[in-house]
Amino acid sequence: MRTRVLGGRPRQERRLVPIIPLLAVLGAPAAMAEGARPGAQLFTQRCATCHSVGEGDRIGPDLHGVLERRDEAWVTRFITSPGALIDSGDPVANELLSKFNGVRMPDQSLTDSERASLYAFFRDCTQKGKGGCKPSPAEKMGTDATPEEIARGRRLFEGTESLKNGGAACIGCHDVRGVGVAGGGTLGPNLTFSFARLGEKGMRPALAKVEGPMMGALYAKAPLDEEEQYALKAYFAEASRDGSRPRADRDFFYLGVVGVAAALGFIGVVFASPSSRGKS
């Protein structure tokens, strides 16, 4: 028979009840951050061209604190069909249209789970404060790169620009169509169509965590930073645009040419020496 105390609850139950809400409070920030991660990726891919979160207005408004300024139902209506909301005469939507030079945001077809993750990202950013939620540059779409970003990716691949953490240049083990005079290395696979093969979702983690028996050892203490990851992804995306097959391995051909030239040069030096002239 259990002993009861005033209030009618078992002594053991009274000890546990206050712990449950305490654990919920302690775990809330971590749960919010975890739920915000897919929203951060979605924002970078779908929204970051026109909006920032805490870095000021761009083509559209800064979205830091948007769910505190606006009702969530209104934000959902606006995201789903901005034009319809504007044409309905909604005063806030029309004020935004006027403020941002008449630029109409295109309709965004998001699933309920995508929208929930995006809202979790916005709330997490609000909790962190302005400037605490800058999206990773590595998460931007490789196909959205500028010519300068693509050119930097090629320099990093070829090794004409050093990697920040001292990692080895990709060209030592890999080739990409048109790179270098003699092409790249053949120890690893040809990466000309790596972006087409892996896609955006596969390429991003592949560059963030370079794995494999050899590559893992090379980059374990020299990982690519986020901007390097993006530049290389941009370069691979550009290389994949041309669907033609890369040229066959050229290393042996060029090495043969260099070898013949060196041999002829050596023979010329020998026969031009004074000792060889004296003997003839």
Side-chain angles (χ1 to χ4, degrees):
M1 184 173 181
R2 289 185 295 180
T3 306
R4 305 187 74 82
V5 295
L6 291 175
R9 294 189 181 199
R11 195 177 300 276
Q12 184 180 10
E13 188 181 352
R14 288 195 64 184
R15 289 196 196 99
L16 291 176
V17 167
I19 296 174
I20 294 171
L22 177 61
L23 291 175
V25 169
L26 292 175
M32 180 181 288
E34 185 65 30
R37 284 176 190 166
Q41 292 180 3
L42 184 64
F43 178 85
T44 303
Q45 293 167 12
R46 301 279 290 273
C47 315
T49 301
C50 298
H51 301 277
S52 80
V53 181
E55 298 178 79
D57 294 341
R58 292 182 180 169
I59 296 171
D62 184 339
L63 296 179
H64 188 270
V66 65
L67 292 176
E68 280 61 52
R69 294 194 304 273
R70 312 284 182 225
D71 179 76
E72 184 176 312
W74 184 93
V75 174
T76 299
R77 288 177 63 203
F78 190 87
I79 288 174
T80 304
S81 186
L85 196 59
I86 290 166
D87 294 339
S88 73
D90 183 271
V92 175
N94 279 277
E95 181 185 343
L96 289 170
L97 182 69
S98 176
K99 180 178 178 180
F100 292 97
N101 304 312
V103 176
R104 290 193 176 212
M105 173 177 155
D107 294 357
Q108 300 297 315
S109 180
L110 301 178
T111 65
D112 291 344
S113 62
E114 286 174 332
R115 197 161 45 244
S117 68
L118 189 63
Y119 292 168
F121 170 63
F122 289 150
R123 291 191 173 98
D124 186 49
C125 291
T126 301
Q127 189 176 68
K128 290 176 179 176
K130 276 200 171 185
C133 222
K134 187 176 180 179
S136 162
E139 291 175 348
K140 192 169 71 166
M141 298 286 282
T143 50
D144 290 341
T146 64
E148 292 76 17
E149 289 167 329
I150 294 168
R152 187 187 182 215
R154 177 167 183 150
R155 293 196 304 272
L156 292 170
F157 182 91
E158 293 179 337
T160 55
E161 180 179 334
S162 299
L163 294 167
K164 180 179 177 181
N165 293 320
C170 310
I171 197 171
C173 297
H174 302 279
D175 194 12
V176 167
R177 181 200 299 105
V179 73
V181 176
T186 56
L187 187 61
N190 187 300
L191 299 181
T192 301
F193 297 121
S194 57
F195 187 88
R197 186 173 64 254
L198 295 173
E200 180 70 35
K201 289 184 178 179
M203 180 61 73
R204 191 186 309 132
L207 290 170
K209 189 176 182 182
V210 183
E211 296 179 312
M214 183 177 293
M215 304 299 283
L218 281 173
Y219 291 94
K221 294 184 179 179
L224 303 171
D225 73 16
E226 291 182 337
E227 292 183 353
E228 290 168 342
Q229 292 171 36
Y230 182 70
L232 284 166
K233 179 172 68 174
Y235 173 55
F236 295 143
E238 180 66 17
S240 288
R241 290 179 193 275
D242 182 350
S244 61
R245 293 181 65 81
R247 290 173 61 180
D249 180 38
R250 298 162 287 166
D251 288 355
F252 291 111
F253 171 76
Y254 284 108
L255 285 173
V257 171
V258 171
V260 169
L264 290 174
F266 177 74
I267 292 169
V269 169
V270 169
F271 280 94
S273 65
S275 59
S276 63
R277 284 199 298 269
K279 292 179 180 178
S280 56

